[in-house]
């Protein structure tokens, strides 16, 4: 992994800062919410104590035993509906409709109160309508309200129309009561009835009965209760509503229920406070908030139950006698609601529950601008830090790369150049550059010393070598013993070998100078190769030197005598390493604007460990007596090839070795 990516990964550590900020906001919100819940719990306790003085507004357990099952809740209406048989002008939610089983489908009904009147609405599916007539008033489709009077007498208000429209109820069989009005409306699937009844006409227990006439003498009865008596009619308490109104605050909702959870009073609204945090957020921000902050139950669950009976878990716990709190959060708007349910006790008897709900827009919540700013600022800071580190890493990588390239170029053409980038920088890279420069300067000095060593040795050793040689020549004219002549011959062989070494060293040094000073001329490389190979065939008759020209244009500019010398070194090397009587194949070809010469011979392959330094000075792979070879031939060949703008390579083949050199056309 390069330096830029490493620093980019390190820059991701800056994400710890927004994480720490989010944790702080999360803990702060939890602490503030807990504090708000404690405050609401204290307020709920005070309100419950004040409501305890109105036990008559709650239904005590002793009274509950006088009612049957199937209680009906009458919703408070904000305005008087129009008596037309339709529900669209009622101020209640459509979800407030309750259901019971009917013959031809589900029957839906709703009760409401407006001042001193009880309103009701019923939807009945009926596949065959049977209206009342002069001779038939019993086995007809009808709806009845049943109740129990103060003397425990049964009260029945029966609605049996002769045709759709306005109808008057019959009380207890045949008596018409003009105070009771209703409107019967046919529908494609049956009918619906809307009516109103003075509250004093009915007792505290009210039931709804739907009679579906199938045929004469055959009718099916559906009702809201199953016992002999109807269930209690639960209506809101004006007194409790008035008491709650004195505690209403902005953003605070209060609900009072009886012992069964039926809503007796409700005041205030949790949306009446600040709306600054209640706006709907964008999708990505909502997902980020949901992932960051503590989740709660859906805020919709905090709304009053449309049926009129509060059945949330925290309220159910309060109905069992223990104070309970909860909190909700909207997934769409982020609005959070804190709720507390406190039992209401009248002496030792629990009569109901008071519920307080308050929005948390005033404190830190999901839609808090603080969290939005934190995420925005930290995101910008992280991107800025990552960008700055990436830029710094790019600049640092560029400096290191320039230093690396400078170090590689410092040894171009076998000469060390001590000038490197960033020498004047006062940092670690500058120190590294100066250290490299110092090493390269010493290496250059040593390299120059080695370059001049051959010529110095050749010059210094020739004079004593000449003296030794002349002395040996003079000694031959003196009378010597057989043993003395043997020693003299051995000394002469050593002098000859030393002279050959000096000549080779001089040749290598002279070739480098000739390459730089050679006279450039135009010539035909094909002609030069053919002439040289013809001479090699005469010099080594035991080998064949086949030649193939695969180039279209073999003209180039250079020093042909140096090219022949390069070819001498490679052919001499091929003859030494090839098998006896083996062919030495030479091929001329062109590629990428350069002329290539391939020389292939059979024989032992090149050792892998030597292939990288095969063309260096004083390197030889010869074995046995040939190991005394100085290893300057291939070095000279490389110098000549590079002097002509080319290069030289060596590769193993299936049965031998291939030497190739490339020459620029000039």
């Amino acid at each position: 992994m390069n330096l830029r990516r490493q620093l980019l990964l390190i820059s991701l550590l800056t994400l710890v800062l927004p994480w720490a900020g989010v944790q702080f906001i999360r803990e702060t919100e939890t602490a503030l919410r807990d504090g708000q819940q404690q405050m609401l719990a204290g307020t709920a306790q005070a309100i419950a104590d004040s409501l305890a003085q109105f036990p008559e507004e709650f239904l005590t357990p002793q009274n509950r035993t006088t009612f049957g099952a199937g209680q009906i809740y009458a919703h408070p209406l904000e305005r008087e509906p129009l008596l037309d048989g339709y529900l669209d002008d009622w101020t209640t939610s459509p979800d407030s409709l309750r259901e019971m089983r009917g013959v031809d489908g589900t029957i839906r009904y709703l009760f409401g109160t407006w001042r001193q009147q009880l309103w009701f609405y019923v939807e009945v599916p009926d596949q065959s309508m049977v209206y009342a007539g002069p001779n038939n008033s019993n086995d007809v489709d009808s709806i009845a309200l049943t109740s129990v009077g103060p003397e425990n007498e049964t009260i029945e208000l029966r609605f049996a129309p002769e045709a759709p429209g306005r109808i008057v109820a019959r009380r207890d069989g045949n008596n018409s009561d003009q105070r009771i009005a209703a409107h019967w409306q046919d529908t494609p699937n049956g009918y619906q009835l809307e009516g109103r009844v003075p509250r004093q006409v009915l007792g505290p227990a009210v039931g709804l009965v739907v009679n579906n006439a199938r045929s004469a003498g055959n009718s099916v009865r559906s009702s809201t209760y199953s016992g002999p008596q109807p269930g209690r009619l639960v209506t809101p308490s004006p007194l409790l509503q008035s008491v709650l109104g004195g505690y209403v605050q902005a953003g605070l909702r209060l609900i009072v229920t009886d012992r069964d959870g039926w809503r007796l009073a409700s005041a205030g609204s949790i949306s009446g406070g600040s709306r600054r945090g209640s706006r709907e957020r964008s999708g990505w921000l909502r997902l980020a908030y949901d992932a960051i902050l503590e989740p709660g139950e859906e805020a919709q669950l905090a709304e009053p139950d449309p049926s009129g009976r509060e059945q949330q878990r925290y309220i159910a716990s309060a109905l069992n006698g223990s104070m309970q709190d909860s909190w909700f959060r909207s997934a769409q708007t982020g609005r959070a609601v804190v709720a507390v349910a406190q039992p209401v006790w009248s002496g030792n008897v629990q009569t109901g529950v008071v519920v307080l709900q308050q929005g948390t827009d005033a404190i830190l919540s999901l839609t808090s601008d603080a969290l939005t700013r934190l995420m925005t600022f930290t995101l910008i800071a992280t991107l800025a830090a990552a960008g700055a580190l990436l830029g710094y890493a790019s600049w640092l990588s560029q400096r290191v790369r320039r230093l690396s390239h400078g170090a590689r170029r410092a040894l171009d053409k076998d000469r060390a150049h001590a000038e490197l980038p960033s020498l004047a920088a006062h940092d670690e890279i500058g120190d590294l550059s100066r250290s490299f420069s110092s090493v390269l300067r010493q290496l250059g000095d040593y390299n120059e010393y080695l370059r001049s060593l051959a010529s110095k040795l050749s010059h210094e050793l020739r004079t004593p070598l000449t003296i030794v040689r002349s002395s040996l020549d003079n000694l031959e004219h003196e009378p010597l013993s057989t043993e003395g002549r043997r020693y003299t011959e051995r000394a002469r062989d050593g002098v000859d070998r030393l002279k050959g070494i000096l000549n080779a060293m001089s040749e290598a040094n002279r070739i480098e100078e000739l390459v730089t000073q050679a006279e450039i001329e135009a010539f035909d490389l094909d002609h030069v190769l053919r002439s040289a190979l013809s001479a090699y065939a005469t010099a080594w008759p035991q080998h064949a030197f086949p030649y193939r020209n695969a180039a279209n244009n073999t003209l180039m500019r250079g020093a042909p005598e140096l090219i022949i010398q390069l070819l001498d070194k490679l052919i001499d090397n091929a003859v030494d390493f090839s098998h006896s009587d083996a062919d030495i194949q030479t091929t001329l070809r062109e590629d990428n604007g350069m002329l290539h010469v391939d020389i292939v011979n059979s024989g032992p392959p090149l050792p892998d460990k030597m292939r990288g330094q095969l063309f260096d000075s004083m390197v030889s792979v010869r074995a046995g007596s040939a190991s005394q070879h100085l290893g300057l031939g291939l070095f000279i060949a490389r110098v000549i090839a590079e002097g002509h703008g080319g290069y030289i390579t060596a590769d193993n083949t299936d049965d031998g070795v291939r030497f190739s050199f490339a020459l620029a056309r000039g």
Side-chain angles (χ1 to χ4, degrees):
M1 184 180 295
N2 59 29
L3 186 61
R4 184 182 305 176
R5 293 181 180 176
Q6 293 179 23
L7 289 180
L8 184 60
L9 289 178
I10 293 175
S11 67
L12 296 180
L13 294 177
T14 56
L15 294 177
V16 173
L17 298 177
W19 177 84
V22 165
Q23 295 303 314
F24 173 76
I25 290 179
R26 188 173 186 174
E27 294 298 328
T28 301
E29 186 195 35
T30 301
L32 292 176
R33 190 176 63 244
D34 291 343
Q36 188 176 17
Q37 286 178 332
Q38 294 176 6
M39 180 193 68
L40 285 181
T43 304
Q45 181 63 59
I47 296 176
D49 293 341
S50 67
L51 295 178
Q53 58 184 319
F54 307 108
E56 66 279 0
E57 297 298 320
F58 299 88
L59 184 64
T60 62
Q62 291 79 4
N63 301 128
R64 294 172 67 237
T65 60
T66 62
F67 299 112
Q71 300 180 7
I72 293 178
Y73 181 76
H75 295 266
L77 301 177
E78 298 178 3
R79 62 177 181 270
E80 184 179 12
L82 178 64
L83 191 63
D84 58 359
Y86 292 100
L87 188 66
D88 53 1
D89 55 348
W90 285 48
T91 57
T92 57
S93 168
D95 296 333
S96 301
L97 285 166
R98 300 184 66 184
E99 299 178 349
M100 67 178 178
R101 181 180 300 177
V103 177
D104 295 324
T106 301
I107 300 172
R108 302 200 305 167
Y109 63 94
L110 180 63
F111 284 78
T113 59
W114 169 253
R115 295 178 179 175
Q116 295 301 318
Q117 291 182 335
L118 177 67
W119 285 73
F120 64 94
Y121 172 83
V122 185
E123 292 180 0
V124 181
D126 195 338
Q127 297 180 358
S128 59
M129 289 291 301
V130 180
Y131 290 104
N135 300 323
N136 182 20
S137 60
N138 294 323
D139 296 329
V140 297
D141 290 324
S142 62
I143 293 177
L145 296 181
T146 60
S147 182
V148 178
E151 301 299 330
N152 206 29
E153 74 276 14
T154 300
I155 302 173
E156 182 182 61
L157 304 179
R158 187 165 179 263
F159 302 87
E162 296 180 357
R166 193 82 171 237
I167 60 175
V168 177
R170 294 185 178 274
R171 179 171 180 175
D172 299 330
N174 297 318
N175 298 327
S176 299
D177 193 335
Q178 298 298 325
R179 296 175 301 172
I180 304 171
H183 193 100
W184 187 288
Q185 186 72 42
D186 285 346
T187 64
N189 298 323
Y191 62 89
Q192 52 196 35
L193 178 69
E194 182 183 23
R196 66 171 181 264
V197 180
R199 184 67 188 86
Q200 63 272 18
V201 174
L202 300 172
V206 175
L208 174 67
V209 178
V210 177
N211 188 70
N212 192 331
R214 312 302 293 174
S215 61
N218 180 19
S219 61
V220 180
R221 181 177 182 269
S222 302
S223 64
T224 58
Y225 58 96
S226 57
Q229 291 186 340
R232 178 172 64 107
L233 175 65
V234 182
T235 58
S237 169
L239 178 59
L240 296 180
Q241 188 73 30
S242 176
V243 173
L244 289 186
Y247 295 100
V248 172
Q249 301 177 8
L252 180 65
R253 178 164 58 204
L254 301 94
I255 299 174
V256 175
T257 73
D258 65 4
R259 188 65 178 81
D260 291 325
W262 294 104
R263 191 166 55 248
L264 300 181
S266 176
S269 173
I270 58 176
S271 61
S274 171
R275 295 182 179 268
R276 179 173 58 91
S278 62
R279 60 184 181 275
E280 187 169 349
R281 304 183 309 275
S282 61
W284 72 268
L285 193 57
R286 181 171 66 253
L287 293 176
Y289 284 166
D290 293 342
I292 290 173
L293 295 186
E294 182 181 357
E297 295 185 82
E298 175 57 43
Q300 187 64 29
L301 298 177
E303 296 297 320
D305 196 294
S307 68
R309 189 174 187 179
E310 306 299 337
Q311 303 178 70
Q312 295 91 328
R313 285 195 299 268
Y314 73 103
I315 297 179
S317 297
L319 291 173
N320 291 327
S322 60
M323 191 278 293
Q324 187 66 37
D325 56 37
S326 183
W327 75 285
F328 310 87
R329 192 190 301 280
S330 171
Q332 296 298 323
T333 65
R335 184 184 63 177
V337 178
V338 176
V340 174
Q342 177 69 45
V344 178
W345 297 88
S346 295
N348 295 327
V349 179
Q350 182 181 357
T351 56
V353 168
V354 59
V355 179
L356 270 67
Q357 298 175 341
Q358 188 174 39
T360 60
D361 292 341
I363 66 173
L364 198 59
S365 67
L366 272 178
T367 54
S368 173
D369 291 340
L371 184 56
T372 303
R373 288 194 298 269
L374 173 68
M375 294 183 64
T376 302
F377 291 159
T378 52
L379 179 61
I380 293 175
T382 300
L383 292 178
L389 286 176
L390 186 61
Y392 175 74
S394 300
W395 175 71
L396 195 60
S397 299
Q398 184 66 22
R399 293 181 63 194
V400 173
R401 192 176 295 109
R402 288 174 56 199
L403 181 59
S404 176
H405 292 168
R408 284 198 296 267
R409 289 194 303 267
L411 296 177
D412 284 350
K413 297 183 180 180
D414 298 329
R415 297 187 183 276
H417 305 281
E419 296 297 327
L420 295 176
S422 302
L423 283 176
H426 299 287
D427 56 8
E428 288 78 1
I429 295 182
D431 293 340
L432 183 63
S433 179
R434 287 186 288 272
S435 299
F436 280 173
S437 181
S438 177
V439 171
L440 288 172
R441 189 177 295 109
Q442 297 180 32
L443 181 61
D445 295 341
Y446 182 69
N447 194 41
E448 288 299 324
Y449 168 75
L450 292 180
R451 285 178 176 276
S452 62
L453 180 61
S455 61
K456 292 178 180 179
L457 287 177
S458 177
H459 177 73
E460 296 296 334
L461 292 178
R462 284 188 183 278
T463 300
L465 187 61
T466 302
I467 296 174
V468 172
R469 177 70 183 212
S470 61
S471 299
L472 289 175
D473 291 340
N474 293 330
L475 192 60
E476 287 183 352
H477 300 288
E478 298 295 329
L480 296 174
S481 63
T482 303
E483 191 71 19
R485 289 189 178 278
R486 186 162 57 88
Y487 289 139
T488 301
E489 290 296 330
R490 186 180 299 174
R492 185 184 296 277
D493 291 340
V495 170
D496 291 339
R497 286 184 56 200
L498 186 57
K499 185 177 180 180
I501 292 174
L502 293 178
N503 289 335
M505 294 172 64
S506 298
E507 181 184 10
N509 187 64
R510 186 174 65 254
I511 287 297
E512 292 183 291
E513 296 178 357
L514 287 175
V515 168
T516 59
Q517 300 175 4
E519 294 184 2
I520 304 301
E521 60 179 278
F523 65 94
D524 188 343
L525 182 59
D526 176 65
H527 178 72
V528 171
L529 292 178
R530 291 181 185 277
S531 176
L533 291 174
S534 176
Y536 301 147
T538 303
W540 291 286
Q542 71 275 20
H543 292 282
F545 295 90
Y547 169 70
R548 184 173 68 91
N549 181 8
N552 295 325
N553 182 12
T554 59
L555 295 178
M556 64 170 291
R557 291 180 59 82
E561 66 278 1
L562 293 179
I563 301 299
I564 294 175
Q565 194 167 359
L566 183 157
L567 199 61
D568 289 345
K569 303 299 182 184
L570 295 182
I571 293 296
D572 180 67
N573 189 77
V575 170
D576 288 344
F577 283 94
S578 62
H579 300 300
S580 178
D581 299 332
D583 291 348
I584 299 177
Q585 174 71 43
T586 302
T587 303
L588 174 61
R589 57 188 174 85
E590 55 182 344
D591 186 21
N592 293 328
M594 301 183 71
L595 293 173
H596 295 258
V597 178
D598 300 330
I599 299 175
V600 180
N601 65 274
S602 61
L606 297 172
D608 291 337
K609 64 179 181 179
M610 297 295 294
R611 294 178 64 181
Q613 50 186 329
L614 190 62
F615 297 97
D616 292 344
S617 178
M618 310 296 284
V619 174
S620 177
V621 295
R622 301 172 188 268
S625 61
S627 61
Q628 298 176 358
H629 194 278
L630 289 180
L632 291 172
L634 295 181
F635 170 71
I636 293 173
R638 191 196 77 182
V639 171
I640 296 174
E642 292 178 351
H644 283 77
Y647 56 87
I648 186 169
T649 61
D651 299 291
N652 289 324
T653 61
D654 294 337
D655 59 350
V657 177
R658 178 179 60 247
F659 281 86
S660 301
F661 64 90
L663 303 174
R665 292 183 181 275

